[in-house]
Amino acid sequence: AQKITQTQPGMFVQEKEAVTLDCTYDTSDQSYGLFWYKQPSSGEMIFLIYQGSYDEQNATEGRYSLNFQKARKSANLVISASQLGDSAMYFCAMREGQHNNDMRFGAGTRLTVKP
Amino acid sequence: GAVVSQHPSWVICKSGTSVKIECRSLDFQATTMFWYRQFPKQSLMLMATSNEGSKATYEQGVEKDKFLINHASLTLSTLTVTSAHPEDSSFYICSAPPIKSYEQYFGPGTRLTVT
């Protein structure tokens, strides 16, 4: 069974600083994908970054990077140069196997960027 | 990028009535769509997997006779909450993976309030 763990219910970061949001996962599958989504107060789910289990390099998308440590089963999100608009809920998610399999989410981390 | 729409975006109904929520992929086809429910300050919980041309698969604890799912075409899935009760009040979000793509796109969500 899949399990995603986000141990930080809330995080604070100063504007322009970097922040790391933690995510660990548990799976017995060899093929899986890891995702990070941002959910502002409007409720929409905004895709940030994806890491495939066979990808050898850490994924990066602009100010977002994913610190993928396969042996430790962790997939932490790093946000560099935080902006006030980054304040939101952040969810880590995993999908095992094929692209049309379901996706399971962690509990989420509420990030607050302070001016 | 790919777009998933949901209709309505919010709905208020009286206890005992039924409500239908539509999820459409606007510019891609999806053989599978997913329905999630999110209670305030909680994560997204998978309710069911909607399969085009076949029966939906429900997660444990989700009543299939209460939450009726119909995947009528490769671009449309509907969720009907039958005999709604106040405890069904929640944020319902659908998602869909395009065929042969690792990505998964989310609808903007439907906020259901049952009075």
Side-chain angles (χ1 to χ4, degrees), chain A residues 9-10 12 17 38 41 47 65 67 82-83 97 102 115:
Chain A
F12 290 88
E17 298 290 314
K38 172 184 178 182
S41 57
F47 168 75
S65 60
N67 184 0
S82 296
Q83 302 172 357
D102 58 68

Side-chain angles (χ1 to χ4, degrees), chain B residues 35-69:
Chain B
W35 287 96
Y36 294 85
R37 181 167 53 183
Q38 185 180 30
F39 292 108
K41 303 193 181 205
Q42 294 188 23
S43 185
L44 281 73
M45 297 300 295
L46 180 68
M47 297 177 65
T49 300
S50 173
N51 303 298
E52 190 268 336
S54 63
K55 291 182 179 180
T57 305
Y58 291 83
E59 293 299 298
Q60 191 172 9
V62 177
E63 300 174 56
K64 62 180 181 181
D65 295 331
K66 180 172 182 62
F67 298 99
L68 302 179
I69 290 173

Side-chain angles (χ1 to χ4, degrees), chain B residues 3-77:
Chain B
V3 176
V4 174
S5 70
Q6 275 185 247
H7 178 79
S9 55
W10 60 271
V11 57
I12 301 173
C13 71
K14 292 187 176 181
S15 186
T17 62
S18 295
V19 174
K20 180 186 283 188
I21 303 170
E22 291 186 350
C23 176
R24 292 181 185 272
S25 56
L26 298 185
D27 52 0
F28 66 94
Q29 294 182 329
T31 55
T32 304
M33 293 184 178
F34 303 99
W35 287 96
Y36 294 85
R37 181 167 53 183
Q38 185 180 30
F39 292 108
K41 303 193 181 205
Q42 294 188 23
S43 185
L44 281 73
M45 297 300 295
L46 180 68
M47 297 177 65
T49 300
S50 173
N51 303 298
E52 190 268 336
S54 63
K55 291 182 179 180
T57 305
Y58 291 83
E59 293 299 298
Q60 191 172 9
V62 177
E63 300 174 56
K64 62 180 181 181
D65 295 331
K66 180 172 182 62
F67 298 99
L68 302 179
I69 290 173
N70 181 30
H71 199 137
S73 71
L74 289 173
T75 59
L76 173 64
S77 175

Side-chain angles (χ1 to χ4, degrees), chain A residues 26-99:
Chain A
D26 185 25
T27 179
S28 55
D29 271 26
Q30 296 300 309
S31 177
Y32 53 89
L34 298 158
F35 301 76
W36 278 93
Y37 287 87
K38 172 184 178 182
Q39 187 181 44
S41 57
S42 62
E44 62 179 314
M45 296 293 286
I46 301 171
F47 168 75
L48 297 178
I49 198 165
Y50 165 82
Q51 180 86 41
S53 59
Y54 294 117
D55 296 340
E56 295 186 351
Q57 292 196 331
N58 288 342
T60 60
E61 290 284 349
R63 294 188 299 112
Y64 305 107
S65 60
L66 199 152
N67 184 0
F68 181 44
Q69 297 188 44
K70 193 171 182 177
R72 296 180 59 187
K73 293 187 176 178
S74 73
N76 299 339
L77 176 70
V78 180
I79 304 175
S80 62
S82 296
Q83 302 172 357
L84 295 178
D86 293 336
S87 294
M89 282 293 291
Y90 288 80
F91 291 100
C92 178
M94 179 172 69
R95 181 180 63 210
E96 292 177 324
Q98 297 181 19
H99 75 281

